[in-house]
Amino acid sequence: MTDKEISIDTGENKDIPIPSIYDIPGVYRDEVEEFAIYYDLFTKQECNDIIQFYKEHGQKKVAEIDEGKEVKEIRDCFTSIVSEELERSELMFVSNRIWRTIQKANERHFKFELTGIMEAMQFLEYNAPTQHYSAHADRGYNTPVRKLSVSILLSDPADFEGGKLLLPHARGMAIEPVQGSVIFFPAFTIHEVLPITKGTRHALVMWITGPSFK
């Protein structure tokens, strides 16, 4: 799959004219974009196959906000992971495709120093009438250094209502759901999943790690 086959939307702020008051000697322009969406990175069949795979092999549990801590007022959904062996044997195409894409996307949109995908992928399930994830960031203390967050929408938008991914501090962007699309954003970005009001929303999330921010 080449870049020409993928349409891209980004969080680039085009409202600031160039040149601007930011063009002052010694003052650096912040060119880290707020997000980048790559559409059609996974086919409908691939999305459905991933959903079915996790339903058959995933270790489903109530989502936690910290290890062993469930707070449904903040995070109300289900998560599933599979063994490292199964992830490597059956889902390597997912991580490989994301890694190939993120190397180009990072250079184009974020320019972070990255090392790879160090944590297990998480399969997320949100059910009507109210499951959601309140505003949060993906960084944590004393955990692997998450630089970029990755979210793949697996469900067909026709199968659910609500559940938009909202970036409240990125000009209030509410990401319209498109099956097979992937959104990349800095892990320190505040984001939330709005309540699902009908049906079920499935997504696959992962994090790209790297050295500590300096």
Side-chain angles (χ1 to χ4, degrees), residues 168-180:
H169 300 305
R171 301 188 299 285
M173 288 293 299
I175 308 303
E176 292 293 337
V178 177
Q179 188 176 30

Side-chain angles (χ1 to χ4, degrees), residues 17-191:
I18 298 176
S20 77
I21 60 172
Y22 298 109
D23 295 318
I24 301 171
V27 176
Y28 295 95
R29 182 184 292 275
D30 190 344
E31 295 182 343
V32 176
E33 296 181 14
E34 295 165 322
F35 63 87
I37 307 171
Y38 280 55
Y39 295 99
D40 302 317
L41 201 57
F42 293 88
T43 67
K44 182 180 183 66
Q45 186 61 55
E46 288 173 331
C47 290
N48 292 337
D49 288 345
I50 295 169
I51 292 172
Q52 188 60 37
F53 179 80
Y54 273 95
K55 286 184 175 180
E56 293 179 1
H57 303 284
Q59 306 165 28
K60 182 177 177 179
K61 65 177 184 177
V62 176
E64 301 170 348
I65 59 171
D66 290 308
E67 189 172 352
K69 187 176 181 180
E70 300 174 10
V71 183
K72 288 192 174 183
E73 291 79 7
I74 297 175
R75 190 183 190 192
D76 185 10
C77 65
F78 295 100
T79 65
S80 294
I81 61 172
V82 296
S83 68
E84 183 177 351
E85 181 181 359
L86 269 179
E87 187 172 301
R88 286 184 177 275
S89 62
E90 303 297 330
L91 298 173
M92 185 62 73
F93 79 96
V94 177
S95 55
N96 282 346
R97 193 173 304 172
I98 290 296
W99 182 241
R100 287 197 305 269
T101 305
I102 198 61
Q103 291 182 77
K104 296 179 181 179
N106 180 56
E107 179 60 29
R108 179 172 179 175
H109 309 292
F110 309 110
K111 299 178 176 62
F112 291 160
E113 186 176 354
L114 304 176
T115 53
I117 303 170
M118 304 300 295
E119 301 177 70
M121 295 184 283
Q122 285 189 20
F123 177 75
L124 304 181
E125 178 181 307
Y126 293 86
N127 294 305
T130 59
Q131 287 197 318
H132 68 285
Y133 196 171
S134 298
H136 67 286
D138 287 340
R139 294 182 66 202
Y141 177 73
N142 203 28
T143 64
V145 182
R146 294 173 173 177
K147 291 288 192 72
L148 289 172
S149 296
V150 182
S151 181
I152 307 167
L153 182 63
L154 300 174
S155 295
D156 186 330
D159 295 335
F160 67 92
E161 294 179 4
K164 286 185 178 180
L165 178 62
L166 179 66
L167 308 179
H169 300 305
R171 301 188 299 285
M173 288 293 299
I175 308 303
E176 292 293 337
V178 177
Q179 188 176 30
S181 64
V182 180
I183 179 169
F184 304 102
F185 54 89
F188 50 72
T189 301
I190 299 298
H191 59 286

